[in-house]
Amino acid sequence: MNDAASIPAQRKEDRPALLSIVCPAFNEEAVLLDFHRRLRRAMTALEQPFEVVFVNDGSRDRTLAMMYALRERHPNTTIVDLSRNFGKEIALTAGLDAARGDAVVVIDTDLQDPPELIGSLIAGWREGYDVVYAQRRKRHGDGWLKKLTALMFYRLMRRSGPVELPENVGDFRLLGRKAVNAVCAMRERHRFMKGVFAWIGFPSKAVPYNRERRHAGKTKWNYWRLWNFSIEGVTSSTLAPLKLSSYLGFVTAVFAFIMGALFIVKTAIFGETVQGFPTLITVILFLGGVQLCVLGVIGEYLGRVFNETKHRPLYFTNEIAMSDIGCQESAHSDGADPSQGEVNLKIDQGAVSRRAG
Ligand code: UDP
Ligand code: MG
């Protein structure tokens, strides 16, 4: 992902004929309406024809009901209702599959990604870039431990991965149609989206922004999930740990060989003694430990190979309600959004559970 090497020719079009905004949501009832209101206001200011693609990732609260309520008011809303919680990466993929715009913006629904930045992302698209990613200047609301671990992760990925992962970049970005098709063509189960986005290539550009704190609701990430996510990131984009295991094995074997030779020589000269139990037990435990670690690494990869060879579909949906893309929303371009705020959310839970299957 070398920006300098690939400066594209400017596009003839002023803006995408249709922009799809993919918003994965899992239990986001606390922010979904605020998010939608801000998004719509930003889009109205841009006078950009768009569709919102909500992906309900198996939410157990009123998120889905809210989505349907919003869709009733705004027909340019697609709802992809997944059959269960598949995780953000798969939810994103489902959204990209359903998006029909000639450019797609991927954005979190917790208002950590400011919708107002979409204008700058589109400007990058107009310059001819197929991938315009938002790069955060500061990590608001993250503790030092999260910052440190993030730093270490990016450093590891940069050293070992086949392509460079831009630092401080989340999923918030705009993808041109070519890039969307490329991402959709990659159907691996273990998908680390940041890795996928970097791997596809295409001329890319960064737009800096300040990441806010979560507006409301709770993050779905804890350290255990982040740890697993990092393992996923490493194992799905690089074979470096396997290589490292081989070297570790080799170094240990050389070491063992030298020790062996020393012992033989020592025994030949001084005869056999019964001493040396501490050395023996240390060596056995050390070798056992190394072997188990290396086996674990191999196991991580083997498990992924197993999952991939099953060739299961990435996700199932309860329902996909496509947007009416002929309908534009720039009608209410008087700044204030008359349609929001009073969205009727007295939705009967029955309807929700019927839809959720
Ligand atoms: N999300 C999702 N499925 C999940 C977890 C999260 O679709 O299993 C969505 C979530 O609703 C939000 C986005 O992914 O829109 C980012 O999630 P979160 O804010 O928890 O992550 P963070 O911003 O802390 O990285
Ligand atoms: Mg968030």
Side-chain angles (χ1 to χ4, degrees), residues 15-16 18-21 36-52 76 105 107 115-119 122 174 329-330 332-333:
R15 58 181 190 195
L18 177 74
L19 182 75
S20 301
I21 301 165
H36 190 259
R37 189 175 305 126
R38 244 178 86 181
L39 175 67
R40 205 158 277 276
R41 197 172 297 146
M43 297 313 293
T44 308
L46 290 174
E47 297 189 3
Q48 164 69 50
F50 69 102
E51 63 170 357
V52 175
N76 62 341
V105 166
I107 187 169
E116 293 75 23
L117 199 74
I118 293 177
I122 294 176
L174 179 143
E329 288 264 333
S330 7
H332 333 286
S333 46

PDB file of all heavy atoms in Angstrom, residues 15-16 18-21 36-52 76 105 107 115-119 122 174 329-330 332-333:
ATOM      1  N   ARG A  15     -18.863  13.041  -8.442  1.00  0.00           N
ATOM      2  CA  ARG A  15     -19.149  12.269  -7.228  1.00  0.00           C
ATOM      3  C   ARG A  15     -19.744  10.930  -7.667  1.00  0.00           C
ATOM      4  O   ARG A  15     -20.184  10.805  -8.817  1.00  0.00           O
ATOM      5  CB  ARG A  15     -20.173  13.022  -6.369  1.00  0.00           C
ATOM      6  CG  ARG A  15     -21.448  13.274  -7.130  1.00  0.00           C
ATOM      7  CD  ARG A  15     -22.463  14.030  -6.339  1.00  0.00           C
ATOM      8  NE  ARG A  15     -23.730  13.994  -7.075  1.00  0.00           N
ATOM      9  CZ  ARG A  15     -24.735  14.781  -6.829  1.00  0.00           C
ATOM     10  NH1 ARG A  15     -24.669  15.673  -5.874  1.00  0.00           N
ATOM     11  NH2 ARG A  15     -25.847  14.679  -7.526  1.00  0.00           N
ATOM     12  N   PRO A  16     -19.758   9.962  -6.785  1.00  0.00           N
ATOM     13  CA  PRO A  16     -20.363   8.676  -7.148  1.00  0.00           C
ATOM     14  C   PRO A  16     -21.841   8.867  -7.472  1.00  0.00           C
ATOM     15  O   PRO A  16     -22.512   9.653  -6.800  1.00  0.00           O
ATOM     16  CB  PRO A  16     -20.196   7.830  -5.880  1.00  0.00           C
ATOM     17  CG  PRO A  16     -19.170   8.524  -5.068  1.00  0.00           C
ATOM     18  CD  PRO A  16     -19.234   9.964  -5.420  1.00  0.00           C
ATOM     19  N   LEU A  18     -24.086   6.739  -7.011  1.00  0.00           N
ATOM     20  CA  LEU A  18     -24.746   6.249  -5.803  1.00  0.00           C
ATOM     21  C   LEU A  18     -23.672   5.826  -4.804  1.00  0.00           C
ATOM     22  O   LEU A  18     -22.726   5.128  -5.158  1.00  0.00           O
ATOM     23  CB  LEU A  18     -25.643   5.045  -6.120  1.00  0.00           C
ATOM     24  CG  LEU A  18     -26.307   4.422  -4.888  1.00  0.00           C
ATOM     25  CD1 LEU A  18     -27.439   5.289  -4.370  1.00  0.00           C
ATOM     26  CD2 LEU A  18     -26.825   3.027  -5.193  1.00  0.00           C
ATOM     27  N   LEU A  19     -23.830   6.289  -3.583  1.00  0.00           N
ATOM     28  CA  LEU A  19     -22.901   5.909  -2.520  1.00  0.00           C
ATOM     29  C   LEU A  19     -23.631   4.969  -1.562  1.00  0.00           C
ATOM     30  O   LEU A  19     -24.721   5.294  -1.090  1.00  0.00           O
ATOM     31  CB  LEU A  19     -22.433   7.156  -1.774  1.00  0.00           C
ATOM     32  CG  LEU A  19     -21.426   6.927  -0.662  1.00  0.00           C
ATOM     33  CD1 LEU A  19     -20.052   6.645  -1.256  1.00  0.00           C
ATOM     34  CD2 LEU A  19     -21.340   8.142   0.251  1.00  0.00           C
ATOM     35  N   SER A  20     -23.054   3.820  -1.311  1.00  0.00           N
ATOM     36  CA  SER A  20     -23.645   2.922  -0.303  1.00  0.00           C
ATOM     37  C   SER A  20     -22.899   3.116   1.002  1.00  0.00           C
ATOM     38  O   SER A  20     -21.667   3.192   1.000  1.00  0.00           O
ATOM     39  CB  SER A  20     -23.513   1.465  -0.729  1.00  0.00           C
ATOM     40  OG  SER A  20     -24.158   1.253  -1.952  1.00  0.00           O
ATOM     41  N   ILE A  21     -23.634   3.193   2.092  1.00  0.00           N
ATOM     42  CA  ILE A  21     -22.987   3.351   3.387  1.00  0.00           C
ATOM     43  C   ILE A  21     -23.283   2.109   4.216  1.00  0.00           C
ATOM     44  O   ILE A  21     -24.416   1.881   4.630  1.00  0.00           O
ATOM     45  CB  ILE A  21     -23.491   4.621   4.082  1.00  0.00           C
ATOM     46  CG1 ILE A  21     -23.187   5.816   3.169  1.00  0.00           C
ATOM     47  CG2 ILE A  21     -22.813   4.811   5.424  1.00  0.00           C
ATOM     48  CD1 ILE A  21     -23.910   7.055   3.543  1.00  0.00           C
ATOM     49  N   HIS A  36     -27.883   7.548  12.870  1.00  0.00           N
ATOM     50  CA  HIS A  36     -28.604   7.708  11.614  1.00  0.00           C
ATOM     51  C   HIS A  36     -28.916   9.178  11.346  1.00  0.00           C
ATOM     52  O   HIS A  36     -28.801   9.660  10.223  1.00  0.00           O
ATOM     53  CB  HIS A  36     -29.883   6.873  11.685  1.00  0.00           C
ATOM     54  CG  HIS A  36     -30.576   6.763  10.374  1.00  0.00           C
ATOM     55  ND1 HIS A  36     -31.675   7.530  10.071  1.00  0.00           N
ATOM     56  CD2 HIS A  36     -30.316   6.005   9.297  1.00  0.00           C
ATOM     57  CE1 HIS A  36     -32.071   7.221   8.847  1.00  0.00           C
ATOM     58  NE2 HIS A  36     -31.268   6.310   8.352  1.00  0.00           N
ATOM     59  N   ARG A  37     -29.257   9.868  12.416  1.00  0.00           N
ATOM     60  CA  ARG A  37     -29.586  11.291  12.265  1.00  0.00           C
ATOM     61  C   ARG A  37     -28.359  12.070  11.780  1.00  0.00           C
ATOM     62  O   ARG A  37     -28.431  12.852  10.841  1.00  0.00           O
ATOM     63  CB  ARG A  37     -30.056  11.840  13.618  1.00  0.00           C
ATOM     64  CG  ARG A  37     -30.641  13.240  13.545  1.00  0.00           C
ATOM     65  CD  ARG A  37     -31.197  13.658  14.886  1.00  0.00           C
ATOM     66  NE  ARG A  37     -32.172  12.686  15.395  1.00  0.00           N
ATOM     67  CZ  ARG A  37     -32.110  12.119  16.586  1.00  0.00           C
ATOM     68  NH1 ARG A  37     -31.114  12.408  17.422  1.00  0.00           N
ATOM     69  NH2 ARG A  37     -33.025  11.261  16.970  1.00  0.00           N
ATOM     70  N   ARG A  38     -27.214  11.790  12.423  1.00  0.00           N
ATOM     71  CA  ARG A  38     -26.000  12.521  12.035  1.00  0.00           C
ATOM     72  C   ARG A  38     -25.549  12.159  10.625  1.00  0.00           C
ATOM     73  O   ARG A  38     -25.118  13.010   9.850  1.00  0.00           O
ATOM     74  CB  ARG A  38     -24.876  12.220  13.020  1.00  0.00           C
ATOM     75  CG  ARG A  38     -24.455  13.483  13.771  1.00  0.00           C
ATOM     76  CD  ARG A  38     -23.403  13.182  14.772  1.00  0.00           C
ATOM     77  NE  ARG A  38     -22.063  13.219  14.202  1.00  0.00           N
ATOM     78  CZ  ARG A  38     -20.976  12.963  14.908  1.00  0.00           C
ATOM     79  NH1 ARG A  38     -21.074  12.677  16.187  1.00  0.00           N
ATOM     80  NH2 ARG A  38     -19.774  12.996  14.350  1.00  0.00           N
ATOM     81  N   LEU A  39     -25.685  10.881  10.312  1.00  0.00           N
ATOM     82  CA  LEU A  39     -25.285  10.418   8.977  1.00  0.00           C
ATOM     83  C   LEU A  39     -26.116  11.115   7.910  1.00  0.00           C
ATOM     84  O   LEU A  39     -25.614  11.650   6.932  1.00  0.00           O
ATOM     85  CB  LEU A  39     -25.481   8.903   8.896  1.00  0.00           C
ATOM     86  CG  LEU A  39     -25.223   8.283   7.535  1.00  0.00           C
ATOM     87  CD1 LEU A  39     -23.755   8.399   7.182  1.00  0.00           C
ATOM     88  CD2 LEU A  39     -25.638   6.820   7.514  1.00  0.00           C
ATOM     89  N   ARG A  40     -27.431  11.122   8.152  1.00  0.00           N
ATOM     90  CA  ARG A  40     -28.338  11.686   7.169  1.00  0.00           C
ATOM     91  C   ARG A  40     -28.089  13.192   6.999  1.00  0.00           C
ATOM     92  O   ARG A  40     -28.143  13.722   5.895  1.00  0.00           O
ATOM     93  CB  ARG A  40     -29.780  11.413   7.602  1.00  0.00           C
ATOM     94  CG  ARG A  40     -30.760  11.380   6.487  1.00  0.00           C
ATOM     95  CD  ARG A  40     -31.978  10.600   6.881  1.00  0.00           C
ATOM     96  NE  ARG A  40     -31.758   9.168   6.706  1.00  0.00           N
ATOM     97  CZ  ARG A  40     -31.927   8.535   5.546  1.00  0.00           C
ATOM     98  NH1 ARG A  40     -32.281   9.194   4.475  1.00  0.00           N
ATOM     99  NH2 ARG A  40     -31.727   7.241   5.458  1.00  0.00           N
ATOM    100  N   ARG A  41     -27.809  13.840   8.137  1.00  0.00           N
ATOM    101  CA  ARG A  41     -27.540  15.277   8.054  1.00  0.00           C
ATOM    102  C   ARG A  41     -26.278  15.520   7.217  1.00  0.00           C
ATOM    103  O   ARG A  41     -26.252  16.392   6.354  1.00  0.00           O
ATOM    104  CB  ARG A  41     -27.354  15.848   9.471  1.00  0.00           C
ATOM    105  CG  ARG A  41     -27.472  17.365   9.504  1.00  0.00           C
ATOM    106  CD  ARG A  41     -27.478  17.872  10.927  1.00  0.00           C
ATOM    107  NE  ARG A  41     -28.627  17.391  11.685  1.00  0.00           N
ATOM    108  CZ  ARG A  41     -28.600  17.112  12.985  1.00  0.00           C
ATOM    109  NH1 ARG A  41     -27.478  17.248  13.664  1.00  0.00           N
ATOM    110  NH2 ARG A  41     -29.687  16.704  13.603  1.00  0.00           N
ATOM    111  N   ALA A  42     -25.252  14.715   7.470  1.00  0.00           N
ATOM    112  CA  ALA A  42     -23.998  14.879   6.721  1.00  0.00           C
ATOM    113  C   ALA A  42     -24.224  14.645   5.229  1.00  0.00           C
ATOM    114  O   ALA A  42     -23.717  15.375   4.380  1.00  0.00           O
ATOM    115  CB  ALA A  42     -22.942  13.921   7.250  1.00  0.00           C
ATOM    116  N   MET A  43     -25.018  13.622   4.920  1.00  0.00           N
ATOM    117  CA  MET A  43     -25.239  13.282   3.510  1.00  0.00           C
ATOM    118  C   MET A  43     -26.082  14.336   2.821  1.00  0.00           C
ATOM    119  O   MET A  43     -25.862  14.656   1.655  1.00  0.00           O
ATOM    120  CB  MET A  43     -25.903  11.909   3.390  1.00  0.00           C
ATOM    121  CG  MET A  43     -25.082  10.771   3.900  1.00  0.00           C
ATOM    122  SD  MET A  43     -23.393  10.799   3.316  1.00  0.00           S
ATOM    123  CE  MET A  43     -23.657  10.501   1.585  1.00  0.00           C
ATOM    124  N   THR A  44     -27.047  14.870   3.543  1.00  0.00           N
ATOM    125  CA  THR A  44     -27.898  15.912   2.950  1.00  0.00           C
ATOM    126  C   THR A  44     -27.050  17.129   2.602  1.00  0.00           C
ATOM    127  O   THR A  44     -27.193  17.731   1.550  1.00  0.00           O
ATOM    128  CB  THR A  44     -29.009  16.304   3.939  1.00  0.00           C
ATOM    129  OG1 THR A  44     -29.656  15.111   4.354  1.00  0.00           O
ATOM    130  CG2 THR A  44     -30.021  17.216   3.291  1.00  0.00           C
ATOM    131  N   ALA A  45     -26.117  17.463   3.502  1.00  0.00           N
ATOM    132  CA  ALA A  45     -25.244  18.615   3.247  1.00  0.00           C
ATOM    133  C   ALA A  45     -24.405  18.388   1.990  1.00  0.00           C
ATOM    134  O   ALA A  45     -24.086  19.327   1.274  1.00  0.00           O
ATOM    135  CB  ALA A  45     -24.349  18.849   4.456  1.00  0.00           C
ATOM    136  N   LEU A  46     -24.073  17.131   1.725  1.00  0.00           N
ATOM    137  CA  LEU A  46     -23.221  16.841   0.562  1.00  0.00           C
ATOM    138  C   LEU A  46     -24.019  16.747  -0.737  1.00  0.00           C
ATOM    139  O   LEU A  46     -23.444  16.705  -1.817  1.00  0.00           O
ATOM    140  CB  LEU A  46     -22.495  15.506   0.770  1.00  0.00           C
ATOM    141  CG  LEU A  46     -21.416  15.473   1.836  1.00  0.00           C
ATOM    142  CD1 LEU A  46     -20.908  14.060   2.007  1.00  0.00           C
ATOM    143  CD2 LEU A  46     -20.277  16.390   1.438  1.00  0.00           C
ATOM    144  N   GLU A  47     -25.338  16.640  -0.607  1.00  0.00           N
ATOM    145  CA  GLU A  47     -26.220  16.414  -1.768  1.00  0.00           C
ATOM    146  C   GLU A  47     -25.750  15.219  -2.589  1.00  0.00           C
ATOM    147  O   GLU A  47     -25.679  15.274  -3.811  1.00  0.00           O
ATOM    148  CB  GLU A  47     -26.281  17.671  -2.631  1.00  0.00           C
ATOM    149  CG  GLU A  47     -26.891  18.827  -1.860  1.00  0.00           C
ATOM    150  CD  GLU A  47     -27.177  20.030  -2.746  1.00  0.00           C
ATOM    151  OE1 GLU A  47     -26.947  19.942  -3.958  1.00  0.00           O
ATOM    152  OE2 GLU A  47     -27.624  21.039  -2.196  1.00  0.00           O
ATOM    153  N   GLN A  48     -25.429  14.176  -1.878  1.00  0.00           N
ATOM    154  CA  GLN A  48     -24.911  12.966  -2.518  1.00  0.00           C
ATOM    155  C   GLN A  48     -25.996  11.887  -2.490  1.00  0.00           C
ATOM    156  O   GLN A  48     -26.482  11.553  -1.421  1.00  0.00           O
ATOM    157  CB  GLN A  48     -23.671  12.499  -1.753  1.00  0.00           C
ATOM    158  CG  GLN A  48     -23.223  11.091  -2.007  1.00  0.00           C
ATOM    159  CD  GLN A  48     -22.664  10.906  -3.404  1.00  0.00           C
ATOM    160  OE1 GLN A  48     -21.813  11.654  -3.848  1.00  0.00           O
ATOM    161  NE2 GLN A  48     -23.170   9.910  -4.115  1.00  0.00           N
ATOM    162  N   PRO A  49     -26.396  11.362  -3.657  1.00  0.00           N
ATOM    163  CA  PRO A  49     -27.364  10.259  -3.628  1.00  0.00           C
ATOM    164  C   PRO A  49     -26.748   9.061  -2.915  1.00  0.00           C
ATOM    165  O   PRO A  49     -25.604   8.712  -3.188  1.00  0.00           O
ATOM    166  CB  PRO A  49     -27.594   9.933  -5.107  1.00  0.00           C
ATOM    167  CG  PRO A  49     -27.067  11.103  -5.859  1.00  0.00           C
ATOM    168  CD  PRO A  49     -26.011  11.734  -5.014  1.00  0.00           C
ATOM    169  N   PHE A  50     -27.491   8.475  -2.001  1.00  0.00           N
ATOM    170  CA  PHE A  50     -26.897   7.393  -1.214  1.00  0.00           C
ATOM    171  C   PHE A  50     -27.942   6.384  -0.777  1.00  0.00           C
ATOM    172  O   PHE A  50     -29.139   6.639  -0.835  1.00  0.00           O
ATOM    173  CB  PHE A  50     -26.203   7.973   0.025  1.00  0.00           C
ATOM    174  CG  PHE A  50     -27.173   8.536   1.045  1.00  0.00           C
ATOM    175  CD1 PHE A  50     -27.498   7.822   2.197  1.00  0.00           C
ATOM    176  CD2 PHE A  50     -27.764   9.765   0.854  1.00  0.00           C
ATOM    177  CE1 PHE A  50     -28.381   8.323   3.120  1.00  0.00           C
ATOM    178  CE2 PHE A  50     -28.656  10.286   1.775  1.00  0.00           C
ATOM    179  CZ  PHE A  50     -28.967   9.560   2.912  1.00  0.00           C
ATOM    180  N   GLU A  51     -27.467   5.236  -0.368  1.00  0.00           N
ATOM    181  CA  GLU A  51     -28.305   4.260   0.313  1.00  0.00           C
ATOM    182  C   GLU A  51     -27.578   3.853   1.594  1.00  0.00           C
ATOM    183  O   GLU A  51     -26.352   3.861   1.640  1.00  0.00           O
ATOM    184  CB  GLU A  51     -28.564   3.021  -0.566  1.00  0.00           C
ATOM    185  CG  GLU A  51     -27.309   2.257  -0.907  1.00  0.00           C
ATOM    186  CD  GLU A  51     -27.556   0.900  -1.573  1.00  0.00           C
ATOM    187  OE1 GLU A  51     -28.716   0.506  -1.721  1.00  0.00           O
ATOM    188  OE2 GLU A  51     -26.561   0.241  -1.916  1.00  0.00           O
ATOM    189  N   VAL A  52     -28.360   3.575   2.619  1.00  0.00           N
ATOM    190  CA  VAL A  52     -27.775   3.087   3.870  1.00  0.00           C
ATOM    191  C   VAL A  52     -27.946   1.575   3.894  1.00  0.00           C
ATOM    192  O   VAL A  52     -29.035   1.075   3.661  1.00  0.00           O
ATOM    193  CB  VAL A  52     -28.502   3.710   5.082  1.00  0.00           C
ATOM    194  CG1 VAL A  52     -27.976   3.122   6.385  1.00  0.00           C
ATOM    195  CG2 VAL A  52     -28.323   5.221   5.083  1.00  0.00           C
ATOM    196  N   ASN A  76     -34.534   4.481   1.072  1.00  0.00           N
ATOM    197  CA  ASN A  76     -33.189   4.178   0.539  1.00  0.00           C
ATOM    198  C   ASN A  76     -32.350   3.470   1.600  1.00  0.00           C
ATOM    199  O   ASN A  76     -31.174   3.749   1.775  1.00  0.00           O
ATOM    200  CB  ASN A  76     -32.487   5.441   0.040  1.00  0.00           C
ATOM    201  CG  ASN A  76     -32.266   6.454   1.143  1.00  0.00           C
ATOM    202  OD1 ASN A  76     -32.929   6.380   2.175  1.00  0.00           O
ATOM    203  ND2 ASN A  76     -31.352   7.368   0.943  1.00  0.00           N
ATOM    204  N   VAL A 105     -18.993   3.306   1.521  1.00  0.00           N
ATOM    205  CA  VAL A 105     -18.319   3.744   2.741  1.00  0.00           C
ATOM    206  C   VAL A 105     -18.652   2.739   3.837  1.00  0.00           C
ATOM    207  O   VAL A 105     -19.800   2.328   3.985  1.00  0.00           O
ATOM    208  CB  VAL A 105     -18.790   5.153   3.164  1.00  0.00           C
ATOM    209  CG1 VAL A 105     -18.354   5.458   4.593  1.00  0.00           C
ATOM    210  CG2 VAL A 105     -18.222   6.200   2.220  1.00  0.00           C
ATOM    211  N   ILE A 107     -18.687   2.157   7.826  1.00  0.00           N
ATOM    212  CA  ILE A 107     -18.648   3.029   9.007  1.00  0.00           C
ATOM    213  C   ILE A 107     -19.267   2.321  10.215  1.00  0.00           C
ATOM    214  O   ILE A 107     -20.217   1.557  10.072  1.00  0.00           O
ATOM    215  CB  ILE A 107     -19.389   4.359   8.688  1.00  0.00           C
ATOM    216  CG1 ILE A 107     -19.227   5.374   9.808  1.00  0.00           C
ATOM    217  CG2 ILE A 107     -20.863   4.124   8.383  1.00  0.00           C
ATOM    218  CD1 ILE A 107     -19.713   6.766   9.404  1.00  0.00           C
ATOM    219  N   PRO A 115     -19.501  10.785  10.645  1.00  0.00           N
ATOM    220  CA  PRO A 115     -20.086  10.766   9.299  1.00  0.00           C
ATOM    221  C   PRO A 115     -19.711  12.011   8.495  1.00  0.00           C
ATOM    222  O   PRO A 115     -19.714  11.970   7.272  1.00  0.00           O
ATOM    223  CB  PRO A 115     -21.593  10.753   9.565  1.00  0.00           C
ATOM    224  CG  PRO A 115     -21.740  10.256  10.951  1.00  0.00           C
ATOM    225  CD  PRO A 115     -20.527  10.702  11.686  1.00  0.00           C
ATOM    226  N   GLU A 116     -19.367  13.089   9.196  1.00  0.00           N
ATOM    227  CA  GLU A 116     -19.023  14.334   8.494  1.00  0.00           C
ATOM    228  C   GLU A 116     -17.767  14.155   7.645  1.00  0.00           C
ATOM    229  O   GLU A 116     -17.498  14.968   6.758  1.00  0.00           O
ATOM    230  CB  GLU A 116     -18.805  15.476   9.493  1.00  0.00           C
ATOM    231  CG  GLU A 116     -20.061  15.909  10.239  1.00  0.00           C
ATOM    232  CD  GLU A 116     -20.473  14.917  11.318  1.00  0.00           C
ATOM    233  OE1 GLU A 116     -19.601  14.153  11.793  1.00  0.00           O
ATOM    234  OE2 GLU A 116     -21.670  14.880  11.676  1.00  0.00           O
ATOM    235  N   LEU A 117     -16.995  13.124   7.930  1.00  0.00           N
ATOM    236  CA  LEU A 117     -15.750  12.926   7.180  1.00  0.00           C
ATOM    237  C   LEU A 117     -16.010  12.331   5.789  1.00  0.00           C
ATOM    238  O   LEU A 117     -15.123  12.319   4.937  1.00  0.00           O
ATOM    239  CB  LEU A 117     -14.825  11.999   7.978  1.00  0.00           C
ATOM    240  CG  LEU A 117     -13.346  12.044   7.585  1.00  0.00           C
ATOM    241  CD1 LEU A 117     -12.719  13.325   8.088  1.00  0.00           C
ATOM    242  CD2 LEU A 117     -12.603  10.843   8.138  1.00  0.00           C
ATOM    243  N   ILE A 118     -17.227  11.844   5.579  1.00  0.00           N
ATOM    244  CA  ILE A 118     -17.520  11.167   4.310  1.00  0.00           C
ATOM    245  C   ILE A 118     -17.252  12.097   3.122  1.00  0.00           C
ATOM    246  O   ILE A 118     -16.780  11.660   2.074  1.00  0.00           O
ATOM    247  CB  ILE A 118     -18.971  10.630   4.314  1.00  0.00           C
ATOM    248  CG1 ILE A 118     -19.085   9.516   5.355  1.00  0.00           C
ATOM    249  CG2 ILE A 118     -19.366  10.107   2.949  1.00  0.00           C
ATOM    250  CD1 ILE A 118     -20.461   8.945   5.514  1.00  0.00           C
ATOM    251  N   GLY A 119     -17.507  13.402   3.323  1.00  0.00           N
ATOM    252  CA  GLY A 119     -17.225  14.373   2.261  1.00  0.00           C
ATOM    253  C   GLY A 119     -15.765  14.311   1.824  1.00  0.00           C
ATOM    254  O   GLY A 119     -15.461  14.274   0.627  1.00  0.00           O
ATOM    255  N   ILE A 122     -15.084  11.176  -0.145  1.00  0.00           N
ATOM    256  CA  ILE A 122     -15.555  11.286  -1.527  1.00  0.00           C
ATOM    257  C   ILE A 122     -14.582  12.136  -2.345  1.00  0.00           C
ATOM    258  O   ILE A 122     -14.300  11.837  -3.507  1.00  0.00           O
ATOM    259  CB  ILE A 122     -16.976  11.889  -1.574  1.00  0.00           C
ATOM    260  CG1 ILE A 122     -17.958  10.918  -0.920  1.00  0.00           C
ATOM    261  CG2 ILE A 122     -17.400  12.166  -3.007  1.00  0.00           C
ATOM    262  CD1 ILE A 122     -19.364  11.447  -0.812  1.00  0.00           C
ATOM    263  N   LEU A 174     -13.621   4.526   2.411  1.00  0.00           N
ATOM    264  CA  LEU A 174     -14.424   4.483   1.196  1.00  0.00           C
ATOM    265  C   LEU A 174     -13.731   3.548   0.214  1.00  0.00           C
ATOM    266  O   LEU A 174     -12.510   3.590   0.063  1.00  0.00           O
ATOM    267  CB  LEU A 174     -14.537   5.883   0.593  1.00  0.00           C
ATOM    268  CG  LEU A 174     -15.341   6.009  -0.704  1.00  0.00           C
ATOM    269  CD1 LEU A 174     -16.130   7.318  -0.709  1.00  0.00           C
ATOM    270  CD2 LEU A 174     -14.451   5.966  -1.943  1.00  0.00           C
ATOM    271  N   GLU A 329     -32.933  11.376  -1.267  1.00  0.00           N
ATOM    272  CA  GLU A 329     -33.385  12.011  -0.035  1.00  0.00           C
ATOM    273  C   GLU A 329     -33.078  13.490   0.010  1.00  0.00           C
ATOM    274  O   GLU A 329     -33.308  14.150   0.987  1.00  0.00           O
ATOM    275  CB  GLU A 329     -32.691  11.345   1.153  1.00  0.00           C
ATOM    276  CG  GLU A 329     -33.209   9.967   1.434  1.00  0.00           C
ATOM    277  CD  GLU A 329     -34.271   9.969   2.504  1.00  0.00           C
ATOM    278  OE1 GLU A 329     -34.257  10.874   3.345  1.00  0.00           O
ATOM    279  OE2 GLU A 329     -35.122   9.084   2.483  1.00  0.00           O
ATOM    280  N   SER A 330     -32.489  14.020  -1.070  1.00  0.00           N
ATOM    281  CA  SER A 330     -32.066  15.420  -0.973  1.00  0.00           C
ATOM    282  C   SER A 330     -33.261  16.367  -0.916  1.00  0.00           C
ATOM    283  O   SER A 330     -33.097  17.574  -0.883  1.00  0.00           O
ATOM    284  CB  SER A 330     -31.125  15.773  -2.112  1.00  0.00           C
ATOM    285  OG  SER A 330     -31.043  14.717  -3.018  1.00  0.00           O
ATOM    286  N   HIS A 332     -35.265  16.845   1.587  1.00  0.00           N
ATOM    287  CA  HIS A 332     -35.251  17.636   2.823  1.00  0.00           C
ATOM    288  C   HIS A 332     -33.898  18.282   2.982  1.00  0.00           C
ATOM    289  O   HIS A 332     -33.199  18.029   3.932  1.00  0.00           O
ATOM    290  CB  HIS A 332     -35.449  16.802   4.094  1.00  0.00           C
ATOM    291  CG  HIS A 332     -36.219  15.552   3.920  1.00  0.00           C
ATOM    292  ND1 HIS A 332     -37.553  15.538   3.747  1.00  0.00           N
ATOM    293  CD2 HIS A 332     -35.810  14.266   3.926  1.00  0.00           C
ATOM    294  CE1 HIS A 332     -37.961  14.280   3.656  1.00  0.00           C
ATOM    295  NE2 HIS A 332     -36.932  13.502   3.761  1.00  0.00           N
ATOM    296  N   SER A 333     -33.473  19.101   2.052  1.00  0.00           N
ATOM    297  CA  SER A 333     -32.115  19.633   2.202  1.00  0.00           C
ATOM    298  C   SER A 333     -32.102  20.978   2.931  1.00  0.00           C
ATOM    299  O   SER A 333     -31.213  21.766   2.755  1.00  0.00           O
ATOM    300  CB  SER A 333     -31.430  19.753   0.845  1.00  0.00           C
ATOM    301  OG  SER A 333     -32.320  20.336  -0.058  1.00  0.00           O
TER     302      SER A 333
END
